[in-house]
Amino acid sequence: MSDIYTVKRDGMRLDQVARETLGTWTDGIVETILGLNPGLADWPAVLPVGTRIVLPPRPATAPARRTVARIWGDA
């Protein structure tokens, strides 16, 4: 089942929406969103507030996260 997301803040881009709602913006997820929303690619990069976007289901597995070395130790 697909969810519908409504842009609520100024300055949101599609990759940011994907990351916030689906946990990733890689592995073709942005392209999948564009496929579900004909005409969305014609919109400006910064989406207007109130834009409604059909989202695919959240990926079953979380994307792999890289370990980052910290100079001052783990927080």
Side-chain angles (χ1 to χ4, degrees):
M1 181 173 153
S2 298
D3 291 326
I4 296 179
Y5 175 84
T6 303
V7 176
K8 296 179 180 125
R9 297 191 318 255
D10 286 326
M12 291 294 292
R13 298 184 321 262
L14 188 56
D15 61 324
Q16 292 172 313
V17 170
R19 184 170 186 199
E20 284 184 16
T21 58
L22 302 172
T24 184
W25 70 95
T26 60
D27 298 328
I29 201 77
V30 172
E31 291 81 2
T32 301
I33 295 171
L34 289 172
L36 291 172
N37 296 275
L40 186 61
D42 297 332
W43 286 74
V46 176
L47 299 168
V49 173
T51 302
R52 294 173 52 92
I53 302 168
V54 177
L55 298 175
R58 188 176 179 95
T61 58
R65 300 186 119 203
R66 294 187 303 169
T67 304
V68 178
R70 298 178 188 224
I71 297 173
W72 306 108
D74 293 332

